[in-house]
Amino acid sequence: MEKNPVAHWINTDKKLNNLIVEIESTDKTLTEKAEIAFEKLSELYEIPRMPTDIEDEELDEDDFDGVTDQRSLFEEHALIKYLADEYEDPRGMVLSAAFHLLNNYRVDLFQVAEKEFGKNIPEKCRIGIKGEGYNGEVVFPKNETKSWTELGCKIMKQIN
């Protein structure tokens, strides 16, 4: 078994491999390739693209493993991007987000809050995500002194 589960997925999933070859053969920038991958992965694997694409009945299924935190590619990608360092390959972050959702992994919201607040995570800490598609951005309404709707957030999560 390969150490990197995403690399293993790329090497063993023909659909994914073909998609990557197709995207990499374009002469676009890494960011543009990542944006294309975001849209294509969402379609290819029927991953909810935005929070509004998650259907309520998906939360009622018996085989749901008790995880009620269904996330869209937009959310998971924004969280991964927030935690990543600035030199991280944008294509890899999109692949990781898709991999997470297909394998029931989730970015830990406490890690996100900890990156922002260190050990002083506020009570009722809220994490918002604004933007659209590939361009999701994590915001903390408490820091902005604006409501999450004023900030243009598509979704809000509360921890603690």
Side-chain angles (χ1 to χ4, degrees), residues 52-89:
T52 50
D53 299 329
I54 296 172
E55 295 168 22
D56 289 339
E57 66 259 19
E58 287 180 29
L59 302 176
D60 300 330
E61 291 178 16
D62 293 334
D63 60 349
F64 206 69
D65 300 303
V67 179
T68 55
D69 195 17
Q70 182 76 333
R71 280 191 194 152
S72 63
L73 193 56
F74 164 77
E75 294 165 78
E76 193 69 9
H77 176 255
L79 294 166
I80 287 173
K81 195 165 59 174
Y82 179 79
L83 290 174
D85 64 50
E86 58 185 307
Y87 307 108
E88 194 100 17
D89 186 328

PDB file of all heavy atoms in Angstrom, residues 52-89:
ATOM      1  N   THR A  52     -25.449  24.149  -1.260  1.00  0.00           N
ATOM      2  CA  THR A  52     -26.836  24.048  -1.740  1.00  0.00           C
ATOM      3  C   THR A  52     -27.081  22.777  -2.554  1.00  0.00           C
ATOM      4  O   THR A  52     -28.224  22.426  -2.819  1.00  0.00           O
ATOM      5  CB  THR A  52     -27.189  25.269  -2.618  1.00  0.00           C
ATOM      6  OG1 THR A  52     -26.150  25.430  -3.599  1.00  0.00           O
ATOM      7  CG2 THR A  52     -27.302  26.541  -1.791  1.00  0.00           C
ATOM      8  N   ASP A  53     -26.015  22.077  -2.945  1.00  0.00           N
ATOM      9  CA  ASP A  53     -26.160  20.833  -3.713  1.00  0.00           C
ATOM     10  C   ASP A  53     -26.354  19.610  -2.821  1.00  0.00           C
ATOM     11  O   ASP A  53     -26.557  18.512  -3.320  1.00  0.00           O
ATOM     12  CB  ASP A  53     -24.932  20.598  -4.604  1.00  0.00           C
ATOM     13  CG  ASP A  53     -24.742  21.725  -5.605  1.00  0.00           C
ATOM     14  OD1 ASP A  53     -25.753  22.325  -6.022  1.00  0.00           O
ATOM     15  OD2 ASP A  53     -23.587  22.005  -5.963  1.00  0.00           O
ATOM     16  N   ILE A  54     -26.253  19.793  -1.512  1.00  0.00           N
ATOM     17  CA  ILE A  54     -26.435  18.671  -0.583  1.00  0.00           C
ATOM     18  C   ILE A  54     -27.918  18.539  -0.297  1.00  0.00           C
ATOM     19  O   ILE A  54     -28.558  19.485   0.157  1.00  0.00           O
ATOM     20  CB  ILE A  54     -25.641  18.902   0.727  1.00  0.00           C
ATOM     21  CG1 ILE A  54     -24.144  18.929   0.413  1.00  0.00           C
ATOM     22  CG2 ILE A  54     -25.963  17.809   1.743  1.00  0.00           C
ATOM     23  CD1 ILE A  54     -23.283  19.325   1.579  1.00  0.00           C
ATOM     24  N   GLU A  55     -28.441  17.370  -0.617  1.00  0.00           N
ATOM     25  CA  GLU A  55     -29.878  17.168  -0.422  1.00  0.00           C
ATOM     26  C   GLU A  55     -30.158  16.699   0.990  1.00  0.00           C
ATOM     27  O   GLU A  55     -29.417  15.908   1.552  1.00  0.00           O
ATOM     28  CB  GLU A  55     -30.385  16.143  -1.437  1.00  0.00           C
ATOM     29  CG  GLU A  55     -30.274  16.658  -2.862  1.00  0.00           C
ATOM     30  CD  GLU A  55     -30.490  15.574  -3.891  1.00  0.00           C
ATOM     31  OE1 GLU A  55     -31.113  14.547  -3.558  1.00  0.00           O
ATOM     32  OE2 GLU A  55     -30.022  15.759  -5.019  1.00  0.00           O
ATOM     33  N   ASP A  56     -31.250  17.183   1.542  1.00  0.00           N
ATOM     34  CA  ASP A  56     -31.608  16.843   2.917  1.00  0.00           C
ATOM     35  C   ASP A  56     -31.762  15.346   3.131  1.00  0.00           C
ATOM     36  O   ASP A  56     -31.380  14.830   4.161  1.00  0.00           O
ATOM     37  CB  ASP A  56     -32.908  17.542   3.327  1.00  0.00           C
ATOM     38  CG  ASP A  56     -32.693  19.036   3.511  1.00  0.00           C
ATOM     39  OD1 ASP A  56     -31.525  19.438   3.706  1.00  0.00           O
ATOM     40  OD2 ASP A  56     -33.668  19.781   3.450  1.00  0.00           O
ATOM     41  N   GLU A  57     -32.307  14.640   2.147  1.00  0.00           N
ATOM     42  CA  GLU A  57     -32.514  13.203   2.368  1.00  0.00           C
ATOM     43  C   GLU A  57     -31.204  12.444   2.498  1.00  0.00           C
ATOM     44  O   GLU A  57     -31.179  11.354   3.028  1.00  0.00           O
ATOM     45  CB  GLU A  57     -33.416  12.584   1.300  1.00  0.00           C
ATOM     46  CG  GLU A  57     -32.844  12.565  -0.097  1.00  0.00           C
ATOM     47  CD  GLU A  57     -33.408  13.669  -0.975  1.00  0.00           C
ATOM     48  OE1 GLU A  57     -33.952  14.650  -0.431  1.00  0.00           O
ATOM     49  OE2 GLU A  57     -33.309  13.549  -2.211  1.00  0.00           O
ATOM     50  N   GLU A  58     -30.117  13.030   2.037  1.00  0.00           N
ATOM     51  CA  GLU A  58     -28.821  12.374   2.215  1.00  0.00           C
ATOM     52  C   GLU A  58     -28.473  12.261   3.696  1.00  0.00           C
ATOM     53  O   GLU A  58     -27.685  11.427   4.092  1.00  0.00           O
ATOM     54  CB  GLU A  58     -27.714  13.143   1.492  1.00  0.00           C
ATOM     55  CG  GLU A  58     -27.772  13.001  -0.011  1.00  0.00           C
ATOM     56  CD  GLU A  58     -26.671  13.774  -0.707  1.00  0.00           C
ATOM     57  OE1 GLU A  58     -25.595  13.958  -0.125  1.00  0.00           O
ATOM     58  OE2 GLU A  58     -26.899  14.181  -1.850  1.00  0.00           O
ATOM     59  N   LEU A  59     -29.053  13.116   4.507  1.00  0.00           N
ATOM     60  CA  LEU A  59     -28.766  13.106   5.939  1.00  0.00           C
ATOM     61  C   LEU A  59     -29.617  12.097   6.695  1.00  0.00           C
ATOM     62  O   LEU A  59     -29.374  11.824   7.852  1.00  0.00           O
ATOM     63  CB  LEU A  59     -29.005  14.504   6.528  1.00  0.00           C
ATOM     64  CG  LEU A  59     -28.184  15.626   5.895  1.00  0.00           C
ATOM     65  CD1 LEU A  59     -28.587  16.965   6.488  1.00  0.00           C
ATOM     66  CD2 LEU A  59     -26.699  15.392   6.090  1.00  0.00           C
ATOM     67  N   ASP A  60     -30.638  11.543   6.029  1.00  0.00           N
ATOM     68  CA  ASP A  60     -31.569  10.647   6.711  1.00  0.00           C
ATOM     69  C   ASP A  60     -31.267   9.167   6.494  1.00  0.00           C
ATOM     70  O   ASP A  60     -31.908   8.321   7.078  1.00  0.00           O
ATOM     71  CB  ASP A  60     -33.007  10.909   6.224  1.00  0.00           C
ATOM     72  CG  ASP A  60     -33.432  12.335   6.498  1.00  0.00           C
ATOM     73  OD1 ASP A  60     -32.937  12.917   7.489  1.00  0.00           O
ATOM     74  OD2 ASP A  60     -34.245  12.869   5.729  1.00  0.00           O
ATOM     75  N   GLU A  61     -30.315   8.873   5.638  1.00  0.00           N
ATOM     76  CA  GLU A  61     -30.046   7.474   5.308  1.00  0.00           C
ATOM     77  C   GLU A  61     -29.543   6.700   6.530  1.00  0.00           C
ATOM     78  O   GLU A  61     -28.811   7.219   7.351  1.00  0.00           O
ATOM     79  CB  GLU A  61     -29.008   7.388   4.192  1.00  0.00           C
ATOM     80  CG  GLU A  61     -29.556   7.886   2.867  1.00  0.00           C
ATOM     81  CD  GLU A  61     -28.502   7.854   1.777  1.00  0.00           C
ATOM     82  OE1 GLU A  61     -27.475   7.187   1.959  1.00  0.00           O
ATOM     83  OE2 GLU A  61     -28.741   8.497   0.747  1.00  0.00           O
ATOM     84  N   ASP A  62     -29.957   5.437   6.609  1.00  0.00           N
ATOM     85  CA  ASP A  62     -29.564   4.596   7.742  1.00  0.00           C
ATOM     86  C   ASP A  62     -28.078   4.257   7.728  1.00  0.00           C
ATOM     87  O   ASP A  62     -27.462   4.087   8.760  1.00  0.00           O
ATOM     88  CB  ASP A  62     -30.367   3.283   7.726  1.00  0.00           C
ATOM     89  CG  ASP A  62     -31.833   3.543   7.998  1.00  0.00           C
ATOM     90  OD1 ASP A  62     -32.140   4.556   8.665  1.00  0.00           O
ATOM     91  OD2 ASP A  62     -32.659   2.751   7.543  1.00  0.00           O
ATOM     92  N   ASP A  63     -27.508   4.175   6.544  1.00  0.00           N
ATOM     93  CA  ASP A  63     -26.096   3.795   6.444  1.00  0.00           C
ATOM     94  C   ASP A  63     -25.186   5.018   6.489  1.00  0.00           C
ATOM     95  O   ASP A  63     -24.144   5.059   5.853  1.00  0.00           O
ATOM     96  CB  ASP A  63     -25.851   2.990   5.166  1.00  0.00           C
ATOM     97  CG  ASP A  63     -26.208   3.776   3.914  1.00  0.00           C
ATOM     98  OD1 ASP A  63     -26.836   4.844   4.023  1.00  0.00           O
ATOM     99  OD2 ASP A  63     -25.851   3.292   2.820  1.00  0.00           O
ATOM    100  N   PHE A  64     -25.580   6.015   7.229  1.00  0.00           N
ATOM    101  CA  PHE A  64     -24.845   7.274   7.213  1.00  0.00           C
ATOM    102  C   PHE A  64     -23.724   7.333   8.234  1.00  0.00           C
ATOM    103  O   PHE A  64     -23.057   8.346   8.354  1.00  0.00           O
ATOM    104  CB  PHE A  64     -25.823   8.449   7.418  1.00  0.00           C
ATOM    105  CG  PHE A  64     -25.318   9.723   6.819  1.00  0.00           C
ATOM    106  CD1 PHE A  64     -25.239   9.864   5.446  1.00  0.00           C
ATOM    107  CD2 PHE A  64     -24.892  10.759   7.620  1.00  0.00           C
ATOM    108  CE1 PHE A  64     -24.753  11.024   4.880  1.00  0.00           C
ATOM    109  CE2 PHE A  64     -24.398  11.924   7.065  1.00  0.00           C
ATOM    110  CZ  PHE A  64     -24.340  12.063   5.684  1.00  0.00           C
ATOM    111  N   ASP A  65     -23.495   6.252   8.981  1.00  0.00           N
ATOM    112  CA  ASP A  65     -22.385   6.182   9.937  1.00  0.00           C
ATOM    113  C   ASP A  65     -22.445   7.241  11.036  1.00  0.00           C
ATOM    114  O   ASP A  65     -21.435   7.545  11.656  1.00  0.00           O
ATOM    115  CB  ASP A  65     -21.023   6.342   9.238  1.00  0.00           C
ATOM    116  CG  ASP A  65     -20.785   5.258   8.203  1.00  0.00           C
ATOM    117  OD1 ASP A  65     -20.835   4.079   8.577  1.00  0.00           O
ATOM    118  OD2 ASP A  65     -20.577   5.604   7.045  1.00  0.00           O
ATOM    119  N   GLY A  66     -23.607   7.847  11.223  1.00  0.00           N
ATOM    120  CA  GLY A  66     -23.720   8.843  12.287  1.00  0.00           C
ATOM    121  C   GLY A  66     -23.017  10.145  11.982  1.00  0.00           C
ATOM    122  O   GLY A  66     -22.983  11.047  12.805  1.00  0.00           O
ATOM    123  N   VAL A  67     -22.433  10.267  10.806  1.00  0.00           N
ATOM    124  CA  VAL A  67     -21.772  11.521  10.443  1.00  0.00           C
ATOM    125  C   VAL A  67     -22.818  12.411   9.795  1.00  0.00           C
ATOM    126  O   VAL A  67     -23.303  12.118   8.718  1.00  0.00           O
ATOM    127  CB  VAL A  67     -20.610  11.277   9.446  1.00  0.00           C
ATOM    128  CG1 VAL A  67     -19.960  12.589   9.057  1.00  0.00           C
ATOM    129  CG2 VAL A  67     -19.591  10.340  10.039  1.00  0.00           C
ATOM    130  N   THR A  68     -23.174  13.481  10.475  1.00  0.00           N
ATOM    131  CA  THR A  68     -24.188  14.364   9.891  1.00  0.00           C
ATOM    132  C   THR A  68     -23.542  15.599   9.282  1.00  0.00           C
ATOM    133  O   THR A  68     -24.209  16.523   8.896  1.00  0.00           O
ATOM    134  CB  THR A  68     -25.209  14.813  10.966  1.00  0.00           C
ATOM    135  OG1 THR A  68     -24.461  15.411  12.031  1.00  0.00           O
ATOM    136  CG2 THR A  68     -26.022  13.658  11.479  1.00  0.00           C
ATOM    137  N   ASP A  69     -22.232  15.579   9.226  1.00  0.00           N
ATOM    138  CA  ASP A  69     -21.541  16.737   8.700  1.00  0.00           C
ATOM    139  C   ASP A  69     -21.209  16.528   7.229  1.00  0.00           C
ATOM    140  O   ASP A  69     -20.060  16.441   6.841  1.00  0.00           O
ATOM    141  CB  ASP A  69     -20.272  17.009   9.519  1.00  0.00           C
ATOM    142  CG  ASP A  69     -19.728  18.393   9.235  1.00  0.00           C
ATOM    143  OD1 ASP A  69     -20.482  19.228   8.683  1.00  0.00           O
ATOM    144  OD2 ASP A  69     -18.560  18.638   9.552  1.00  0.00           O
ATOM    145  N   GLN A  70     -22.234  16.431   6.418  1.00  0.00           N
ATOM    146  CA  GLN A  70     -22.048  16.295   4.978  1.00  0.00           C
ATOM    147  C   GLN A  70     -21.454  17.606   4.467  1.00  0.00           C
ATOM    148  O   GLN A  70     -21.925  18.678   4.831  1.00  0.00           O
ATOM    149  CB  GLN A  70     -23.430  16.023   4.362  1.00  0.00           C
ATOM    150  CG  GLN A  70     -23.428  15.803   2.887  1.00  0.00           C
ATOM    151  CD  GLN A  70     -22.928  14.436   2.494  1.00  0.00           C
ATOM    152  OE1 GLN A  70     -22.147  13.808   3.202  1.00  0.00           O
ATOM    153  NE2 GLN A  70     -23.372  13.953   1.368  1.00  0.00           N
ATOM    154  N   ARG A  71     -20.406  17.537   3.694  1.00  0.00           N
ATOM    155  CA  ARG A  71     -19.772  18.753   3.178  1.00  0.00           C
ATOM    156  C   ARG A  71     -19.723  18.740   1.663  1.00  0.00           C
ATOM    157  O   ARG A  71     -19.622  17.697   1.043  1.00  0.00           O
ATOM    158  CB  ARG A  71     -18.327  18.878   3.691  1.00  0.00           C
ATOM    159  CG  ARG A  71     -18.242  19.393   5.079  1.00  0.00           C
ATOM    160  CD  ARG A  71     -16.821  19.761   5.453  1.00  0.00           C
ATOM    161  NE  ARG A  71     -16.742  19.926   6.898  1.00  0.00           N
ATOM    162  CZ  ARG A  71     -15.651  19.715   7.607  1.00  0.00           C
ATOM    163  NH1 ARG A  71     -14.541  19.346   7.022  1.00  0.00           N
ATOM    164  NH2 ARG A  71     -15.666  19.881   8.906  1.00  0.00           N
ATOM    165  N   SER A  72     -19.716  19.929   1.113  1.00  0.00           N
ATOM    166  CA  SER A  72     -19.553  20.084  -0.326  1.00  0.00           C
ATOM    167  C   SER A  72     -18.061  20.209  -0.646  1.00  0.00           C
ATOM    168  O   SER A  72     -17.241  20.471   0.237  1.00  0.00           O
ATOM    169  CB  SER A  72     -20.282  21.339  -0.792  1.00  0.00           C
ATOM    170  OG  SER A  72     -19.705  22.485  -0.189  1.00  0.00           O
ATOM    171  N   LEU A  73     -17.731  20.052  -1.921  1.00  0.00           N
ATOM    172  CA  LEU A  73     -16.351  20.211  -2.367  1.00  0.00           C
ATOM    173  C   LEU A  73     -15.874  21.636  -2.061  1.00  0.00           C
ATOM    174  O   LEU A  73     -14.733  21.854  -1.658  1.00  0.00           O
ATOM    175  CB  LEU A  73     -16.262  19.911  -3.868  1.00  0.00           C
ATOM    176  CG  LEU A  73     -14.872  19.736  -4.467  1.00  0.00           C
ATOM    177  CD1 LEU A  73     -14.090  18.643  -3.757  1.00  0.00           C
ATOM    178  CD2 LEU A  73     -14.958  19.434  -5.954  1.00  0.00           C
ATOM    179  N   PHE A  74     -16.762  22.596  -2.228  1.00  0.00           N
ATOM    180  CA  PHE A  74     -16.471  23.999  -1.923  1.00  0.00           C
ATOM    181  C   PHE A  74     -15.979  24.166  -0.481  1.00  0.00           C
ATOM    182  O   PHE A  74     -14.954  24.799  -0.236  1.00  0.00           O
ATOM    183  CB  PHE A  74     -17.762  24.810  -2.168  1.00  0.00           C
ATOM    184  CG  PHE A  74     -17.784  26.185  -1.569  1.00  0.00           C
ATOM    185  CD1 PHE A  74     -17.094  27.231  -2.177  1.00  0.00           C
ATOM    186  CD2 PHE A  74     -18.535  26.451  -0.440  1.00  0.00           C
ATOM    187  CE1 PHE A  74     -17.140  28.512  -1.642  1.00  0.00           C
ATOM    188  CE2 PHE A  74     -18.591  27.729   0.102  1.00  0.00           C
ATOM    189  CZ  PHE A  74     -17.885  28.769  -0.505  1.00  0.00           C
ATOM    190  N   GLU A  75     -16.691  23.554   0.463  1.00  0.00           N
ATOM    191  CA  GLU A  75     -16.333  23.690   1.879  1.00  0.00           C
ATOM    192  C   GLU A  75     -15.016  22.993   2.194  1.00  0.00           C
ATOM    193  O   GLU A  75     -14.121  23.575   2.802  1.00  0.00           O
ATOM    194  CB  GLU A  75     -17.410  23.059   2.769  1.00  0.00           C
ATOM    195  CG  GLU A  75     -18.749  23.755   2.716  1.00  0.00           C
ATOM    196  CD  GLU A  75     -19.813  22.858   3.307  1.00  0.00           C
ATOM    197  OE1 GLU A  75     -19.892  22.757   4.544  1.00  0.00           O
ATOM    198  OE2 GLU A  75     -20.558  22.227   2.525  1.00  0.00           O
ATOM    199  N   GLU A  76     -14.920  21.729   1.815  1.00  0.00           N
ATOM    200  CA  GLU A  76     -13.738  20.946   2.165  1.00  0.00           C
ATOM    201  C   GLU A  76     -12.488  21.559   1.526  1.00  0.00           C
ATOM    202  O   GLU A  76     -11.445  21.670   2.158  1.00  0.00           O
ATOM    203  CB  GLU A  76     -13.922  19.482   1.733  1.00  0.00           C
ATOM    204  CG  GLU A  76     -12.920  18.531   2.317  1.00  0.00           C
ATOM    205  CD  GLU A  76     -13.064  18.304   3.826  1.00  0.00           C
ATOM    206  OE1 GLU A  76     -14.056  18.749   4.447  1.00  0.00           O
ATOM    207  OE2 GLU A  76     -12.157  17.677   4.388  1.00  0.00           O
ATOM    208  N   HIS A  77     -12.619  21.992   0.286  1.00  0.00           N
ATOM    209  CA  HIS A  77     -11.484  22.598  -0.409  1.00  0.00           C
ATOM    210  C   HIS A  77     -11.057  23.905   0.276  1.00  0.00           C
ATOM    211  O   HIS A  77      -9.867  24.148   0.473  1.00  0.00           O
ATOM    212  CB  HIS A  77     -11.829  22.855  -1.882  1.00  0.00           C
ATOM    213  CG  HIS A  77     -10.754  23.565  -2.623  1.00  0.00           C
ATOM    214  ND1 HIS A  77     -10.839  24.893  -2.953  1.00  0.00           N
ATOM    215  CD2 HIS A  77      -9.536  23.139  -3.058  1.00  0.00           C
ATOM    216  CE1 HIS A  77      -9.721  25.255  -3.573  1.00  0.00           C
ATOM    217  NE2 HIS A  77      -8.922  24.217  -3.650  1.00  0.00           N
ATOM    218  N   ALA A  78     -12.021  24.737   0.664  1.00  0.00           N
ATOM    219  CA  ALA A  78     -11.689  26.007   1.330  1.00  0.00           C
ATOM    220  C   ALA A  78     -10.969  25.746   2.653  1.00  0.00           C
ATOM    221  O   ALA A  78     -10.006  26.441   2.993  1.00  0.00           O
ATOM    222  CB  ALA A  78     -12.953  26.836   1.560  1.00  0.00           C
ATOM    223  N   LEU A  79     -11.407  24.725   3.382  1.00  0.00           N
ATOM    224  CA  LEU A  79     -10.777  24.393   4.663  1.00  0.00           C
ATOM    225  C   LEU A  79      -9.353  23.873   4.464  1.00  0.00           C
ATOM    226  O   LEU A  79      -8.432  24.255   5.185  1.00  0.00           O
ATOM    227  CB  LEU A  79     -11.634  23.376   5.431  1.00  0.00           C
ATOM    228  CG  LEU A  79     -13.007  23.892   5.897  1.00  0.00           C
ATOM    229  CD1 LEU A  79     -13.887  22.740   6.334  1.00  0.00           C
ATOM    230  CD2 LEU A  79     -12.853  24.933   7.002  1.00  0.00           C
ATOM    231  N   ILE A  80      -9.170  23.003   3.477  1.00  0.00           N
ATOM    232  CA  ILE A  80      -7.830  22.476   3.170  1.00  0.00           C
ATOM    233  C   ILE A  80      -6.914  23.622   2.747  1.00  0.00           C
ATOM    234  O   ILE A  80      -5.772  23.722   3.192  1.00  0.00           O
ATOM    235  CB  ILE A  80      -7.909  21.387   2.070  1.00  0.00           C
ATOM    236  CG1 ILE A  80      -8.506  20.100   2.657  1.00  0.00           C
ATOM    237  CG2 ILE A  80      -6.534  21.115   1.454  1.00  0.00           C
ATOM    238  CD1 ILE A  80      -8.785  19.015   1.641  1.00  0.00           C
ATOM    239  N   LYS A  81      -7.429  24.492   1.892  1.00  0.00           N
ATOM    240  CA  LYS A  81      -6.646  25.631   1.398  1.00  0.00           C
ATOM    241  C   LYS A  81      -6.248  26.547   2.564  1.00  0.00           C
ATOM    242  O   LYS A  81      -5.131  27.036   2.617  1.00  0.00           O
ATOM    243  CB  LYS A  81      -7.502  26.388   0.380  1.00  0.00           C
ATOM    244  CG  LYS A  81      -6.765  27.353  -0.486  1.00  0.00           C
ATOM    245  CD  LYS A  81      -7.580  27.787  -1.692  1.00  0.00           C
ATOM    246  CE  LYS A  81      -8.877  28.448  -1.292  1.00  0.00           C
ATOM    247  NZ  LYS A  81      -9.618  29.010  -2.403  1.00  0.00           N
ATOM    248  N   TYR A  82      -7.160  26.734   3.511  1.00  0.00           N
ATOM    249  CA  TYR A  82      -6.876  27.592   4.656  1.00  0.00           C
ATOM    250  C   TYR A  82      -5.736  27.020   5.505  1.00  0.00           C
ATOM    251  O   TYR A  82      -4.881  27.748   5.979  1.00  0.00           O
ATOM    252  CB  TYR A  82      -8.145  27.780   5.512  1.00  0.00           C
ATOM    253  CG  TYR A  82      -7.885  28.644   6.713  1.00  0.00           C
ATOM    254  CD1 TYR A  82      -7.814  30.026   6.593  1.00  0.00           C
ATOM    255  CD2 TYR A  82      -7.670  28.084   7.961  1.00  0.00           C
ATOM    256  CE1 TYR A  82      -7.542  30.823   7.690  1.00  0.00           C
ATOM    257  CE2 TYR A  82      -7.396  28.872   9.070  1.00  0.00           C
ATOM    258  CZ  TYR A  82      -7.336  30.250   8.920  1.00  0.00           C
ATOM    259  OH  TYR A  82      -7.047  31.028  10.009  1.00  0.00           O
ATOM    260  N   LEU A  83      -5.739  25.699   5.678  1.00  0.00           N
ATOM    261  CA  LEU A  83      -4.719  25.060   6.506  1.00  0.00           C
ATOM    262  C   LEU A  83      -3.377  24.889   5.788  1.00  0.00           C
ATOM    263  O   LEU A  83      -2.352  24.726   6.429  1.00  0.00           O
ATOM    264  CB  LEU A  83      -5.206  23.685   6.984  1.00  0.00           C
ATOM    265  CG  LEU A  83      -6.326  23.700   8.017  1.00  0.00           C
ATOM    266  CD1 LEU A  83      -6.816  22.284   8.283  1.00  0.00           C
ATOM    267  CD2 LEU A  83      -5.895  24.379   9.305  1.00  0.00           C
ATOM    268  N   ALA A  84      -3.392  24.933   4.474  1.00  0.00           N
ATOM    269  CA  ALA A  84      -2.176  24.671   3.693  1.00  0.00           C
ATOM    270  C   ALA A  84      -1.212  25.849   3.754  1.00  0.00           C
ATOM    271  O   ALA A  84      -1.619  26.975   4.032  1.00  0.00           O
ATOM    272  CB  ALA A  84      -2.566  24.416   2.233  1.00  0.00           C
ATOM    273  N   ASP A  85       0.046  25.559   3.453  1.00  0.00           N
ATOM    274  CA  ASP A  85       0.967  26.696   3.359  1.00  0.00           C
ATOM    275  C   ASP A  85       0.828  27.306   1.965  1.00  0.00           C
ATOM    276  O   ASP A  85       0.276  26.700   1.053  1.00  0.00           O
ATOM    277  CB  ASP A  85       2.408  26.299   3.704  1.00  0.00           C
ATOM    278  CG  ASP A  85       2.994  25.304   2.741  1.00  0.00           C
ATOM    279  OD1 ASP A  85       2.919  25.545   1.510  1.00  0.00           O
ATOM    280  OD2 ASP A  85       3.549  24.288   3.202  1.00  0.00           O
ATOM    281  N   GLU A  86       1.331  28.515   1.811  1.00  0.00           N
ATOM    282  CA  GLU A  86       1.053  29.267   0.581  1.00  0.00           C
ATOM    283  C   GLU A  86       1.683  28.671  -0.672  1.00  0.00           C
ATOM    284  O   GLU A  86       1.293  29.016  -1.778  1.00  0.00           O
ATOM    285  CB  GLU A  86       1.482  30.724   0.750  1.00  0.00           C
ATOM    286  CG  GLU A  86       2.958  30.879   1.090  1.00  0.00           C
ATOM    287  CD  GLU A  86       3.328  32.324   1.377  1.00  0.00           C
ATOM    288  OE1 GLU A  86       3.022  33.184   0.534  1.00  0.00           O
ATOM    289  OE2 GLU A  86       3.920  32.574   2.441  1.00  0.00           O
ATOM    290  N   TYR A  87       2.643  27.760  -0.500  1.00  0.00           N
ATOM    291  CA  TYR A  87       3.305  27.194  -1.677  1.00  0.00           C
ATOM    292  C   TYR A  87       2.706  25.857  -2.099  1.00  0.00           C
ATOM    293  O   TYR A  87       3.200  25.220  -3.024  1.00  0.00           O
ATOM    294  CB  TYR A  87       4.812  27.032  -1.406  1.00  0.00           C
ATOM    295  CG  TYR A  87       5.428  28.318  -0.936  1.00  0.00           C
ATOM    296  CD1 TYR A  87       5.830  28.471   0.385  1.00  0.00           C
ATOM    297  CD2 TYR A  87       5.568  29.390  -1.809  1.00  0.00           C
ATOM    298  CE1 TYR A  87       6.379  29.665   0.822  1.00  0.00           C
ATOM    299  CE2 TYR A  87       6.107  30.595  -1.383  1.00  0.00           C
ATOM    300  CZ  TYR A  87       6.517  30.727  -0.070  1.00  0.00           C
ATOM    301  OH  TYR A  87       7.039  31.910   0.363  1.00  0.00           O
ATOM    302  N   GLU A  88       1.676  25.434  -1.418  1.00  0.00           N
ATOM    303  CA  GLU A  88       1.027  24.150  -1.718  1.00  0.00           C
ATOM    304  C   GLU A  88       0.474  24.152  -3.149  1.00  0.00           C
ATOM    305  O   GLU A  88      -0.071  25.149  -3.609  1.00  0.00           O
ATOM    306  CB  GLU A  88      -0.106  23.945  -0.720  1.00  0.00           C
ATOM    307  CG  GLU A  88      -0.648  22.557  -0.682  1.00  0.00           C
ATOM    308  CD  GLU A  88      -0.109  21.739   0.477  1.00  0.00           C
ATOM    309  OE1 GLU A  88       0.441  22.293   1.433  1.00  0.00           O
ATOM    310  OE2 GLU A  88      -0.269  20.532   0.385  1.00  0.00           O
ATOM    311  N   ASP A  89       0.607  23.026  -3.839  1.00  0.00           N
ATOM    312  CA  ASP A  89       0.105  22.893  -5.206  1.00  0.00           C
ATOM    313  C   ASP A  89      -1.426  22.962  -5.187  1.00  0.00           C
ATOM    314  O   ASP A  89      -2.079  22.139  -4.543  1.00  0.00           O
ATOM    315  CB  ASP A  89       0.578  21.552  -5.777  1.00  0.00           C
ATOM    316  CG  ASP A  89       0.234  21.380  -7.251  1.00  0.00           C
ATOM    317  OD1 ASP A  89      -0.800  21.903  -7.713  1.00  0.00           O
ATOM    318  OD2 ASP A  89       1.007  20.697  -7.952  1.00  0.00           O
TER     319      ASP A  89
END
